[in-house]
Every structure is written in C-alpha cells, then in structure tokens.
C-alpha cells in the first residue's frame, strides 16, 4: 500500500471505535428498557447494526463472549483502513494532472 497514512488510519479507527461503543451502549439501554426512547437514542441503537458488520453478520455463531469485543475491534480497524484508503484515493484524484 503506497502512501499509507498511519495518522489518518489511527484517527479514523479511534473515531469509529468511539461511535461503535456509543451505539453498543444505546442498544444495550434499549434492550434493558432504560433508555433510547427518543429519536437520537433510537437512531444510535439502530446504527449499531451497521457498525457490527461484517464480523457479527458473517460469523454470528462464534461472536459471543470475548469474541464479541474482538469482532467489534476488527470492524473498527477495517473501517479505519477503508477510510484511510478513501482519503488516499481522493488525494490521488485531486493531484492528478489534467490534460
């Protein structure tokens, strides 16, 4: 991977991890009946199903116990990598000489 920017990757992964755990708390609060009653809480709880993809969707049977958090970590790293590569492609596209 040429031009890999570790700072963008790590920042994107940390932001995705924060939002993932925020949505995890929202879905847990909804399951317990202690929160997520408003539009924002309901939206965050529903958004968790996006952030748990692909590990928890593809490997549902083994994503329990300690594997649950490991799967979320893998998703955060994967999304961070995708965001970093998207930034790289946009930079290449912007710096491409026009004919």
């Amino acid at each position: 991977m040429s031009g890999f920017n570790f700072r963008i990757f790590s920042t994107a992964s940390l932001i995705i991890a924060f939002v993932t755990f925020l949505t995890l708390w929202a879905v847990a609060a909804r399951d317990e009946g202690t929160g997520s009653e408003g539009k924002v809480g309901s939206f965050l709880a529903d958004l968790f199903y996006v952030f748990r993809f692909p590990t928890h969707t593809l490997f549902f049977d083994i994503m329990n116990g300690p594997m649950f958090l490991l799967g979320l970590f893998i998703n955060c790293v994967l999304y961070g990598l995708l965001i970093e590569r998207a930034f790289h492609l946009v930079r290449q596209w912007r710096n491409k000489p026009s004919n």
Side-chain angles (χ1 to χ4, degrees), residues 5-93:
N5 190 329
F6 187 75
R7 188 169 52 160
I8 291 175
F9 167 73
S10 60
T11 303
S13 296
L14 286 174
I15 291 170
I16 293 293
F18 176 74
V19 175
T20 298
F21 286 106
L22 185 66
T23 61
L24 175 63
W25 289 330
V27 81
R30 182 169 65 187
D31 287 348
E32 292 293 322
T34 59
S36 299
E37 293 143 5
K39 288 183 181 184
V40 174
S42 180
F43 175 73
L44 285 174
D46 291 339
L47 196 60
F48 175 68
Y49 297 102
V50 173
F51 285 100
R52 67 183 235 153
F53 181 81
T55 59
H56 290 75
T57 304
L58 299 176
F59 307 110
F60 182 76
D61 293 334
I62 62 170
M63 286 297 150
N64 51 22
M67 292 299 292
F68 184 83
L69 292 178
L70 179 63
L72 290 180
F73 174 75
I74 291 169
N75 289 343
C76 295
V77 170
L78 177 66
Y79 286 139
L81 180 65
L82 291 174
I83 291 169
E84 191 282 329
R85 290 287 87 190
F87 271 85
H88 179 73
L89 289 174
V90 167
R91 267 187 270 125
Q92 278 187 334
W93 176 67

